[in-house]
Structure formats: structure tokens, C-alpha cells
Amino acid sequence: SLTPQAFPWALQRTYNMKNSAIFIIALLLSACSTTQDSLYEEIGGKETLSNVFGLAISRIYNDPTIGHYFKDVPKRHLRMHLTNQVCELIGGPCKYDGEKMEPSHQGHNISDKEFFILVEYVQGAMRDIGLTPQQENKIIATLAPLKSKIVYR
């Protein structure tokens, strides 16, 4: 009669195939459940953002075209708020608790040109800190929707 005991090699083969199938399924599931690092984690977190904005703010405050907008804003205050705002926007654990964009920029008559000067300083700081062009572009794309809440002429 055909019993499993008569063909031990068949049992071993079935056992190996079953284990192989379980291994392959587990491997596929682990690949599916692997989460990609957030942009926040990818760039090195809050310390990197703080360094970026520290460098950018030093340049912004000294710019003859846009520096006057910041004369009454302490650098440390602006750095903290920009760091927390971007941290939150790119998937970090920070919470931005600063003013809303519209009321804090209304009445300043910020132009497109002035806005883009600031953006250039932030992009330059990202490059100088060592972010890749891809990381830089992702951050700028995340910030782009804020332009309509900042530029008023």
C-alpha cells in the first residue's frame, strides 16, 4: 500500500517545500511591512534642520533686500519656529506652535522676488550642510504651498 512511511523521501520533500513556502511568504511580508524612513529621519532629524536654519538665518538677516523684515525677530526664536515647522511638515515628531502664516506676513507686502531670495538662502544652507539635491527638493516641495500665505504683492 502507498503509505507515507513507504516513501520517507516524499515526506521530507513535502516538509522542505512547506518550509520554503513559509520562508518566502515571511520574506515577502517583511518586505511589504518595511517602512521607508521619513524625510525627517533621512536627513538626520531636528539637529540637521536646526543647522540648516541657523546658517540660512545668518545670511537672511544680513541681506540688504530682505533683512529688514526680521530686524525685530530674535534669531533664536525664528530658528526654533522654522526648525519645528519644517520638522513637522517632513514627518518628524515636532509640533509647530508659531503664528499662522497669513497673519504673521500680512501687511509686509512681501514680493515674489523677496520670497525667492529667502528660499535661495535656505537651499544654499541645505547644500552647505550636506543634504542631497533630492532631499533639498523634497523639503522645498513640502514648503512650496506656504508661498501663497506669505507673498502679498
Side-chain angles (χ1 to χ4, degrees), residues 79-131:
R79 182 179 188 175
M80 178 191 68
H81 282 298
L82 288 173
T83 298
N84 285 335
Q85 184 179 35
V86 175
C87 170
E88 183 177 356
L89 289 171
I90 65 170
C94 313
K95 294 293 176 214
Y96 173 69
D97 61 359
E99 291 183 47
K100 300 275 185 209
M101 292 295 100
E102 291 98 338
S104 65
H105 293 91
Q106 224 165 17
H108 291 292
N109 288 326
I110 298 169
S111 68
D112 280 335
K113 176 186 173 188
E114 292 165 328
F115 176 81
F116 288 120
I117 290 171
L118 184 136
V119 170
E120 283 295 320
Y121 284 125
V122 173
Q123 285 182 299
M126 286 191 275
R127 272 182 236 119
D128 292 346
I129 296 296
L131 271 58

Side-chain angles (χ1 to χ4, degrees), residues 42-90:
E42 183 184 319
I43 66 165
K46 190 171 184 175
E47 183 179 351
T48 300
L49 289 173
S50 182
N51 290 337
V52 164
F53 288 112
L55 185 56
I57 287 168
S58 293
R59 296 169 180 171
I60 291 165
Y61 275 64
N62 291 314
D63 184 271
T65 305
I66 64 172
H68 68 278
Y69 288 118
F70 302 95
K71 68 179 177 174
D72 295 327
V73 181
K75 287 181 183 180
R76 188 170 11 147
H77 175 82
L78 183 61
R79 182 179 188 175
M80 178 191 68
H81 282 298
L82 288 173
T83 298
N84 285 335
Q85 184 179 35
V86 175
C87 170
E88 183 177 356
L89 289 171
I90 65 170

Side-chain angles (χ1 to χ4, degrees), residues 1-7:
S1 101
L2 296 175
T3 63
Q5 293 77 16
F7 300 97

